């Protein structure tokens, strides 16, 4: 019979050290595992119960530490999960690279891609501020328009270069769309800020500067994620997600002056703040 696992495991944090690239890579290989999208509602509910019980100090009979870590997570819309990134991107990007010569094909696949991106960006946003339907629609329409305009413009230029260079048109369009879609989808964070905490997760306030850094890191990761060939997506997705810590940080001196004063008054000694950058 397996020994009962300890009730002192900190499941609030990832299993591996997020201060190292290797630790972050291990974490995101788990998060982006495509097999996770095959989990049934019953399996997700069971996992939820395991975590809820564990937080109360109750350990399910026979539960192993590996099973405990696998149970951690939140139930999300299937195609919005990071585990859907690889199969969805392989399909969509593959089609964009194959059907890029005609205007209808460009319009259709960029629309499909931005619809998928809108769902992913909304599902994996940082912070706890809600986004309105109007903001959601604005981000979606703006990103799709930007991607299509870029793709059509580059397609016109690509007629004068080799077919090999023409294959890079979808990537350029996706990169441009990410620069538009993600900031717009998370515009409320840019306007109102995201929660910043001390190293012990005590909330200190909301910072727009932290939101800017978080969103910039996500944009860079998403662009690099789209750059490899389709056969490399299985590795590119978790490795690009791991480029920056999920729990990012910045010096107190880089926050807005008024927030700096507030934190120094209420939490003297704090010199660095932490925040969730989102995905």
């Amino acid at each position: 019979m397996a020994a009962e696992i300890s009730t002192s495991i900190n499941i609030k944090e990832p299993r591996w050290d997020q201060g190292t690239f290797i630790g972050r890579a291990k974490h995101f290989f788990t998060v982006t595992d495509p097999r996770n999208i095959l989990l049934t509602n019953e399996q997700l509910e069971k996992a939820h119960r395991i975590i809820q019980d564990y937080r109360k100090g109750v350990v399910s009979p026979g539960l192993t530490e590996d099973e405990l870590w696998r149970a951690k997570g939140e139930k999300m819309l299937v195609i919005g999960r990071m585990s859907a990134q690889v199969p969805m991107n392989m399909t969509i990007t593959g089609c964009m690279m194959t059907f890029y010569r005609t205007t209808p094909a460009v319009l259709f696949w960029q629309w499909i891609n931005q619809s998928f991106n809108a769902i992913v960006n909304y599902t994996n946003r940082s912070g706890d501020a809600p986004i309105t339907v109007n903001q959601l629609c604005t981000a979606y329409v703006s990103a799709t328009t930007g991607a299509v305009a870029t793709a059509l413009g580059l397609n016109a230029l690509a007629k004068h270069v080799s077919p090999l260079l023409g294959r890079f048109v979808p990537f350029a369009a996706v990169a441009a769309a990410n620069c538009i879609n993600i900031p717009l989808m998370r515009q409320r964070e840019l306007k109102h800020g995201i929660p910043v905490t001390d190293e012990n997760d005590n909330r200190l306030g909301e910072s727009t500067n932290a939101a800017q850094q978080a969103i910039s890191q996500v944009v860079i990761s998403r662009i690099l994620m789209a750059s490899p060939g389709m056969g490399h997506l299985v590795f590119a997705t978790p490795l690009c997600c791991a480029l920056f810590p999920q729990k990012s940080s910045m010096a107190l001196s880089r926050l807005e002056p008024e927030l700096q004063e507030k934190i120094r008054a209420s939490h003297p000694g704090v010199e660095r703040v932490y925040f969730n950058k989102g995905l």
Side-chain angles (χ1 to χ4, degrees), residues 14-18 20-37 39 69-70 72 81-87 225 228 231-244 246 279:
R15 184 175 188 177
W16 295 279
D17 180 10
Q18 297 299 284
T20 67
F21 177 75
I22 295 299
R24 295 194 296 271
K26 287 181 178 179
H27 171 68
F28 283 110
F29 267 111
T30 301
V31 172
T32 62
D33 186 343
R35 292 175 297 180
N36 290 339
I37 63 176
L39 296 176
W69 285 111
R70 280 199 298 270
K72 182 183 174 183
R81 301 174 194 168
M82 289 306 292
S83 55
Q85 282 282 301
V86 172
M225 198 186 299
H232 298 155
L233 271 175
V234 173
F235 303 100
T237 298
L239 293 179
C240 288
C241 284
L243 285 175
F244 306 102
Q246 184 66 34
L279 291 172

Side-chain angles (χ1 to χ4, degrees), residues 44 53 60 70 84 86 175 177 201 213 218 249 258:
L44 293 174
D53 288 345
S60 303
R70 280 199 298 270
V86 172
D201 285 332
Q213 178 174 309
V218 172
S249 68
E258 61 274 14

Side-chain angles (χ1 to χ4, degrees), residues 14-230:
R15 184 175 188 177
W16 295 279
D17 180 10
Q18 297 299 284
T20 67
F21 177 75
I22 295 299
R24 295 194 296 271
K26 287 181 178 179
H27 171 68
F28 283 110
F29 267 111
T30 301
V31 172
T32 62
D33 186 343
R35 292 175 297 180
N36 290 339
I37 63 176
L38 302 177
L39 296 176
T40 64
N41 282 329
E42 288 183 358
Q43 290 173 305
L44 293 174
E45 290 298 329
K46 180 181 178 181
H48 180 70
R49 286 195 301 271
I50 289 174
I51 296 300
Q52 290 296 98
D53 288 345
Y54 188 82
R55 286 173 175 160
K56 297 174 184 175
V58 179
V59 179
S60 303
L63 182 70
T64 66
E65 186 172 346
D66 284 340
E67 290 171 338
L68 174 66
W69 285 111
R70 280 199 298 270
K72 182 183 174 183
E74 295 180 15
K75 187 176 179 180
M76 299 176 172
L77 183 66
V78 174
I79 62 173
R81 301 174 194 168
M82 289 306 292
S83 55
Q85 282 282 301
V86 172
M88 291 297 293
N89 275 328
M90 284 180 69
T91 302
I92 295 172
T93 314
C95 288
M96 285 194 297
M97 293 179 71
T98 302
F99 309 109
Y100 69 96
R101 293 181 179 277
T102 66
T103 298
V106 170
L107 290 171
F108 178 75
W109 287 110
Q110 288 296 339
W111 169 66
I112 291 291
N113 186 54
Q114 290 314 311
S115 298
F116 172 62
N117 282 344
I119 294 172
V120 172
N121 293 337
Y122 177 77
T123 304
N124 296 281
R125 66 197 185 283
S126 176
D128 48 19
I131 184 171
T132 66
V133 174
N134 184 53
Q135 291 170 332
L136 194 64
C137 292
T138 299
Y140 172 68
V141 172
S142 299
T144 304
T145 302
V148 170
T150 302
L152 292 177
L154 290 176
N155 259 352
L157 293 175
K159 294 177 181 178
H160 306 290
V161 298
S162 68
L164 180 61
L165 289 177
R167 296 261 177 198
F168 287 94
V169 168
F171 167 67
V174 168
N178 277 327
C179 292
I180 300 170
N181 189 312
I182 296 172
L184 281 173
M185 192 63 65
R186 297 174 61 174
Q187 60 184 288
R188 189 174 179 84
E189 297 172 36
L190 292 170
K191 183 177 180 180
H192 299 287
I194 58 176
V196 293
T197 67
D198 62 16
E199 59 184 349
N200 297 315
D201 285 332
N202 296 309
R203 188 162 177 163
L204 305 175
E206 291 75 37
S207 170
T208 56
N209 288 4
Q212 291 170 15
Q213 178 174 309
I215 291 171
S216 296
Q217 291 176 346
V218 172
V219 169
I220 292 170
S221 297
R222 291 287 189 86
I223 291 175
L224 293 176
M225 198 186 299
S227 61
M230 296 303 96

